[in-house]
Amino acid sequence: MSLRKFLSSAILLLIATSVWSQQTIVKGRIVDEETNEGLAFATAIFTGTTVGVTTDLDGYFEMTTNDQELKSITLSYVGYEPKEAKINPGKINEKEYKLKAVKLELDVVEVKAKRRVPKDTAAIELFRNVVANKYRNDPSSYEYLSYKQYAKTEFGFYDVSEKFKDSKLVKRFSFMLDNMDTTENGIEVLPVLLKETSEQIYYQKNPQKKKEILLGDRFSGVDNFSVADLVDYNYEDIQIYGNLIRVNGKPFMSPFADNARFSYKYFLTDTAQFDGLTCFRLDFTGRGNADASFSGYAWIHDSTFAIQSIRLIVLPNAGLNFVSDFVVQQDFKLINGEHWIKDYEFLQTEYNLFKKKNKEKQSFLVRKTNKRTDITINEPIDPKLLDGEERIIQEGARDRGADFWDTTRVDSLQPHEVGIFKTIDSIQNSKFYKTIRWFTYLGTSGWMDAKYLEFGKIYEIYSWNAVEGKRIKMGVRTRYHLSDKIQFSGHVAYGTKDKLWKYGIESRLHLKRQNEKWHMLGLRYSYDMSTIADYNPILRPNPPKYDNIALSLLRADPLDDLFLLRHAQVWYEKEWLRGFNTRLQFDHKINFSVPTGTSFTTSDGAGDTTVIEKFTTSDLTLNFVWAKGLKFFDSNFGRFPIVSHKPIFIFDYTTGIKGLFKADQTYHKLHFGVEQRLLGPIGYTVYRAHAGILFSKSGVPYPLLTIHEGNESFLYNKYAFNALNESEFVSDKYASISVVHHFDGFIFNKIPGISKLQLRSLLIYRAIYGHLDAKNANFYDLPGQTKALNDFYMEAGFGLENILKVLRVDMLFRITQRGQPDVNKWAIRFAIAPNF
């Protein structure tokens, strides 16, 4: 070691030793003197100050100060005698502190109410005052609101052990250890990714308008802006005055929901002055350890009953998979001496596959900090700023340089955070990282990456069915490395039974995008086997294909309702506004009969049957999807909708144009639908309601009608009637409803013993009413297994999910149409469905 390095190290060591020697650390446990049980939410403060903490659910606490004049702490808890304990400044003080219980009839307190209330109900009175004053304290009640927001999200490994540091994975990237961070409690964190976002927000109450302008966004090592937005979706703004708070998509009741007192217990524990303002401290916790609720506390202003600050912690048995800890801290600022607005927020989530704080099972930590500046309330906003789309991505927002971030950040980056951006390039350029990424991409997409080309999909290379026998298929497509504007793809397939070669080619072209909205043109030509199933191309852009090997394996009988299809297609898709998408599509199809599969036939009534070799259609389809705020995950040339809690409205119109490219069918087809995921206090409900009608003067072949989606696989299909056979019923006009309620552990979490399994129950109901006109029923003969519905079909059932954290099992029963031949009156379906 050089002299210079030695002196530098020595100086740093002396500084660290000096700082450490000035710290007073107090930690331990507060317990009941008689029962020795830990007291949750007891208060420990340095005597003579307002600096302190609250104990956790087991009574443990830890706090630190650099003030050497503080030589004692004061411990308090509702119903117990306060206690002062001496401490040794500049040292670590650790012990168990015992409090003595007293009777609560000694005193009364007043919480700015019209009547005096006993101490044990004062907490409820304070809670009621907060709820009663939501109308003026909730930011949504302000006439105008604007602010600038800077958000920083850090991803890393938490509570890093020496064994983890010595692991082969970390040793390959040992330079990352230079970025080690330490929490306030002295726990080591190894950060690996960092995301920064800067936004300007405007809000107007009447008429209600909101404008979000993305000023800057960067994510170390991630160049797909959709991934960056997906992170923000999982850590959306928490509205503490609302009734429900979403944690990783799971609904939790807010401690200040209108009816929260039936789910929470409240304790009035302290009074303090903050900047000359008197605030009461209200502690709370869920009535049941397994409820979807929080523990924590809030400081509440004594006259406006606004929340000055609040801390939320998810209860340990609340049923969140893979989340061992979730903490939210929000601080509110008084503006203009009247209005309170959130100006700081801290969120921390600790993920662990086994949900145990065990150094042998490393945790992953996500920390997000939001800071708001330039806050204005009830100052009129220029109407021009609120015009147009709700969310605007400023030009160049994804490519901001260092100068922008240096002037935008509220606080400078810490040295370990600066190091993240420097080391991520080294990691991504390593051979080991590229290998891991290759296999990860293969497992998630099914494509084998060859830099400029991809081959696959691996789960479609081999399959089998009753028509083709063994099916061999190979696909190839270009990667965005070759071009990020246009993609070419294609496949060839061969069946050992029908001895036919099939093929398909496709091209997708990115058109000019404004405000990062989707804009795509596509062309496709194929000659291959097909099923009659029809899917919405926007909400189900990649539906399961019949040649997926998993579907071949998990069927009781090989698929046999296939026909040969020559298909030319061109489509244009555009996102006009966030959540408003349209697709204009033209299809030219030649449908061929297949003797061993689906044949199109007509009968003369005397027993003679004629096989129709083929029929041709030329169709024009206009598709609309509207859902306010609906977001998609973009993957270069494809995208997938993200779960939305707003209703999704769907409209389709298709017309068959006879004579165009020798088409021989004329018809008009309308389809309407609405889908939504509703959050509630006892779980969430997913409903889907659809209706459709087909108009034709002379009738059409049955493949153009609505074949109600059934499921003969053992795999659960959330879009299908899972107790219905495939192609069992057909209609030309119909209405259907599907309702699935997920209790999210609300029932099983309350059963002793069973609660440890963390099972979640659900109820299912689905129904269709369909009708088929005679002209359509008789145009072609319906296949043997297909019949007109002309009545109700209903099924219901129940299910268990979260089995071993990843499995779901449904039991379905047919309520109607039970007398039909070759049907199952009940069905069991399985799914791999990991969820938080």
Side-chain angles (χ1 to χ4, degrees):
M1 179 184 296
S2 67
L3 179 60
R4 182 179 178 181
K5 288 186 177 180
F6 174 79
L7 290 174
S8 299
S9 301
I11 291 171
L12 289 173
L13 181 61
L14 286 172
I15 293 173
T17 304
S18 174
V19 172
W20 181 262
S21 65
Q22 293 173 4
Q23 278 195 330
T24 301
I25 299 175
V26 183
K27 57 183 178 179
R29 191 184 190 208
I30 302 177
V31 300
D32 183 290
E33 184 178 72
E34 293 184 3
T35 65
N36 213 41
E37 292 182 357
L39 299 178
F41 310 115
T43 301
I45 64 171
F46 290 104
T47 306
T49 74
T50 58
V51 178
V53 295
T54 303
T55 59
D56 64 16
L57 293 174
D58 297 314
Y60 290 98
F61 75 97
E62 181 175 339
M63 56 185 183
T64 304
T65 182
N66 291 324
D67 190 344
Q68 300 297 297
E69 300 299 319
L70 301 178
K71 298 180 180 181
S72 67
I73 61 172
T74 300
L75 312 171
S76 60
Y77 190 64
V78 175
Y80 288 78
E81 294 180 359
K83 183 176 183 178
E84 187 173 330
K86 293 183 178 181
I87 58 174
N88 295 318
K91 298 184 179 297
I92 298 176
N93 301 263
E94 183 173 9
K95 64 178 293 187
E96 183 176 84
Y97 302 92
K98 296 184 178 182
L99 296 185
K100 183 179 180 179
V102 296
K103 295 183 179 180
L104 290 177
E105 57 190 32
L106 297 175
D107 203 359
V108 293
V109 296
E110 185 177 3
V111 187
K112 295 287 182 178
K114 293 182 179 179
R115 68 181 191 278
R116 293 174 69 82
V117 292
K119 204 168 191 177
D120 58 352
T121 61
I124 298 299
E125 189 70 21
L126 183 56
F127 161 79
R128 287 173 175 159
N129 277 313
V130 174
V131 172
N133 285 276
K134 279 185 183 182
Y135 74 96
R136 65 175 180 177
N137 293 322
D138 189 335
S140 64
S141 67
Y142 302 153
E143 292 298 326
Y144 299 96
L145 174 64
S146 69
Y147 56 87
K148 185 175 287 186
Q149 179 168 278
Y150 168 76
K152 179 174 65 179
T153 309
E154 185 179 310
F155 306 79
F157 295 101
Y158 182 68
D159 201 4
V160 179
S161 66
E162 292 301 321
K163 183 175 181 179
F164 181 73
K165 292 179 185 178
D166 293 335
S167 64
K168 292 182 178 180
L169 176 63
V170 175
K171 279 190 172 182
R172 288 179 179 271
F173 310 115
S174 58
F175 49 84
M176 289 195 307
L177 298 177
D178 296 334
N179 299 329
M180 290 291 292
D181 184 25
T182 304
T183 66
E184 294 178 356
N185 297 329
I187 298 176
E188 286 191 313
V189 177
L190 176 60
V192 293
L193 293 173
L194 183 68
K195 182 179 185 297
E196 293 184 286
T197 303
S198 176
E199 296 177 294
Q200 176 68 53
I201 310 296
Y202 298 100
Y203 170 80
Q204 175 183 281
K205 180 181 178 181
N206 190 21
Q208 191 176 73
K209 289 184 178 181
K210 186 177 182 182
K211 175 64 69 79
E212 299 177 2
I213 303 175
L214 183 67
L215 306 175
D217 184 79
R218 69 168 179 170
F219 198 172
S220 61
V222 178
D223 54 8
N224 186 336
F225 65 83
S226 186
V227 175
D229 291 342
L230 187 61
V231 171
D232 292 332
Y233 174 81
N234 282 325
Y235 289 89
E236 61 186 285
D237 190 24
I238 292 177
Q239 302 294 335
I240 196 59
Y241 287 108
N243 290 327
L244 291 175
I245 295 172
R246 275 190 285 173
V247 179
N248 289 89
K250 185 181 175 76
F252 279 68
M253 179 172 283
S254 166
F256 294 101
D258 295 343
N259 297 314
R261 58 187 296 261
F262 299 108
S263 300
Y264 282 88
K265 295 181 286 186
Y266 297 91
F267 311 92
L268 186 61
T269 58
D270 203 357
T271 305
Q273 294 278 331
F274 297 96
D275 297 326
L277 302 174
T278 301
C279 295
F280 300 113
R281 173 166 165 154
L282 186 67
D283 289 52
F284 47 80
T285 187
R287 292 188 176 274
N289 244 356
D291 291 345
S293 53
F294 301 94
S295 64
Y297 61 87
W299 286 99
I300 298 165
H301 187 217
D302 69 337
S303 57
T304 63
F305 298 103
I307 296 171
Q308 187 266 348
S309 69
I310 188 168
R311 187 175 181 84
L312 304 175
I313 303 172
V314 167
L315 291 173
N317 298 316
L320 268 178
N321 288 336
F322 317 119
V323 176
S324 53
D325 196 19
F326 180 86
V327 178
V328 178
Q329 173 74 39
Q330 292 184 344
D331 295 336
F332 295 76
K333 182 179 181 180
L334 184 61
I335 304 292
N336 302 331
E338 182 182 3
H339 303 289
W340 293 86
I341 186 70
K342 179 174 66 178
D343 68 334
Y344 172 81
E345 181 177 51
F346 174 77
L347 301 97
Q348 178 170 298
T349 309
E350 183 182 342
Y351 296 95
N352 190 300
L353 188 62
F354 302 94
K355 260 189 87 169
K356 293 181 180 178
K357 296 184 184 241
N358 186 328
K359 290 188 177 182
E360 300 301 318
K361 298 164 183 174
Q362 192 63 56
S363 297
F364 191 76
L365 185 74
V366 180
R367 294 187 291 192
K368 182 174 183 179
T369 304
N370 295 324
K371 294 184 178 181
R372 296 176 176 178
T373 56
D374 302 336
I375 301 171
T376 65
I377 295 177
N378 291 341
E379 294 183 12
I381 299 171
D382 185 349
K384 293 181 180 179
L385 290 174
L386 296 168
D387 289 342
E389 297 181 51
E390 185 174 294
R391 180 170 171 81
I392 300 294
I393 290 85
Q394 205 172 77
E395 187 175 354
R398 308 286 186 179
D399 302 304
R400 298 297 187 193
D403 291 342
F404 171 85
W405 293 108
D406 290 341
T407 57
T408 298
R409 295 189 191 99
V410 180
D411 300 315
S412 299
L413 291 181
Q414 298 297 315
H416 74 274
E417 294 170 335
V418 175
I420 293 175
F421 289 99
K422 292 181 179 179
T423 59
I424 193 66
D425 291 337
S426 300
I427 293 173
Q428 292 184 331
N429 290 327
S430 71
K431 184 177 180 180
F432 180 75
Y433 171 83
K434 291 178 179 179
T435 301
I436 294 296
R437 184 173 181 174
W438 191 93
F439 281 104
T440 301
Y441 183 71
L442 176 66
T444 55
S445 70
W447 290 95
M448 294 176 282
D449 177 14
K451 193 174 182 179
Y452 296 115
L453 297 175
E454 294 177 342
F455 298 93
K457 295 182 176 181
I458 56 170
Y459 39 77
E460 294 175 4
I461 292 176
Y462 176 78
S463 61
W464 60 90
N465 57 72
V467 178
E468 296 175 283
K470 297 180 180 64
R471 176 180 167 94
I472 312 299
K473 176 183 174 183
M474 177 55 71
V476 61
R477 69 181 185 185
T478 59
R479 294 206 71 205
Y480 65 92
H481 294 97
L482 186 64
S483 172
D484 60 357
K485 302 297 183 184
I486 188 168
Q487 181 188 65
F488 296 97
S489 62
H491 76 272
V492 292
Y494 181 78
T496 59
K497 183 177 180 179
D498 64 357
K499 301 188 184 304
L500 283 177
W501 284 95
K502 300 95 176 178
Y503 56 87
I505 55 173
E506 184 174 358
S507 177
R508 293 171 179 246
L509 174 65
H510 271 301
L511 301 178
K512 185 177 180 180
R513 302 176 71 169
Q514 295 181 345
N515 202 26
E516 294 184 350
K517 296 190 296 293
W518 190 254
H519 198 194
M520 182 77 75
L521 178 68
L523 302 125
R524 177 172 176 249
Y525 183 82
S526 65
Y527 177 70
D528 205 341
M529 291 293 175
S530 180
T531 61
I532 302 174
D534 189 19
Y535 303 105
N536 183 288
I538 294 179
L539 295 179
R540 296 179 71 184
N542 285 306
K545 296 182 179 178
Y546 78 90
D547 57 355
N548 186 312
I549 189 170
L551 297 181
S552 298
L553 287 167
L554 296 172
R555 292 181 59 90
D557 299 304
L559 182 67
D560 59 2
D561 58 344
L562 296 172
F563 62 95
L564 195 58
L565 177 66
R566 189 179 295 278
H567 185 191
Q569 179 187 84
V570 57
W571 52 267
Y572 171 75
E573 194 169 298
K574 182 175 176 63
E575 184 178 19
W576 300 89
L577 299 170
R578 296 289 175 186
F580 181 57
N581 298 266
T582 63
R583 179 175 171 121
L584 181 63
Q585 179 175 304
F586 174 76
D587 295 273
H588 178 68
K589 299 179 180 179
I590 303 176
N591 306 263
F592 297 93
S593 291
V594 177
T596 57
T598 297
S599 292
F600 310 121
T601 63
T602 58
S603 300
D604 59 5
D608 293 331
T609 300
T610 302
V611 176
I612 308 299
E613 180 185 354
K614 64 181 180 180
F615 70 90
T616 304
T617 60
S618 292
D619 305 333
L620 187 65
T621 299
L622 183 59
N623 174 271
F624 296 90
V625 172
W626 163 242
K628 186 177 181 181
L630 179 64
K631 295 183 178 180
F632 290 81
F633 175 76
D634 294 354
S635 59
N636 300 313
F637 292 95
R639 62 176 188 161
F640 314 92
I642 301 171
V643 173
S644 173
H645 299 278
K646 300 289 180 66
I648 301 173
F649 298 97
I650 305 152
F651 170 74
D652 301 304
Y653 169 68
T654 301
T655 180
I657 308 172
K658 188 174 182 179
L660 182 62
F661 298 116
K662 299 182 180 180
D664 47 34
Q665 306 298 326
T666 299
Y667 67 96
H668 302 276
K669 195 173 184 179
L670 294 173
H671 164 245
F672 305 89
V674 59
E675 303 179 355
Q676 189 177 9
R677 173 176 168 144
L678 294 169
L679 298 181
I682 56 171
Y684 65 93
T685 302
V686 178
Y687 73 84
R688 294 184 174 90
H690 292 266
I693 186 169
L694 181 141
F695 301 96
S696 175
K697 290 183 179 180
S698 57
V700 297
Y702 72 87
L704 301 181
L705 305 173
T706 298
I707 309 291
H708 300 294
E709 191 172 356
N711 183 16
E712 294 179 44
S713 167
F714 294 115
L715 284 178
Y716 172 76
N717 181 349
K718 65 180 180 180
Y719 297 100
F721 292 83
N722 283 273
L724 190 69
N725 288 341
E726 293 166 350
S727 305
E728 184 176 345
F729 289 122
V730 61
S731 304
D732 53 29
K733 57 182 69 69
Y734 75 96
S736 68
I737 183 73
S738 169
V739 180
V740 181
H741 181 75
H742 301 253
F743 286 97
D744 247 5
F746 181 78
I747 297 175
F748 286 108
N749 282 353
K750 292 176 171 56
I751 303 176
I754 294 180
S755 62
K756 293 183 178 180
L757 299 175
Q758 295 187 335
L759 299 175
R760 301 174 185 175
S761 55
L762 53 92
L763 292 178
I764 305 162
Y765 175 77
R766 295 188 178 93
I768 326 168
Y769 177 77
H771 180 76
L772 183 63
D773 286 346
K775 61 186 177 184
N776 292 316
N778 298 325
F779 192 88
Y780 282 172
D781 298 332
L782 297 179
Q785 78 278 14
T786 304
K787 57 189 75 67
L789 181 52
N790 292 334
D791 202 347
F792 279 100
Y793 169 82
M794 289 185 283
E795 67 183 34
F798 62 89
L800 287 179
E801 55 186 348
N802 206 44
I803 302 170
L804 301 177
K805 301 288 189 296
V806 296
L807 297 177
R808 169 176 167 174
V809 179
D810 289 5
M811 174 76 74
L812 288 306
F813 300 88
R814 289 175 71 119
I815 300 175
T816 62
Q817 308 290 338
R818 292 168 59 86
Q820 301 289 339
D822 301 322
V823 300
N824 294 316
K825 297 179 180 180
W826 59 272
I828 296 178
R829 299 291 181 258
F830 302 89
I832 299 175
N835 203 347
F836 288 105

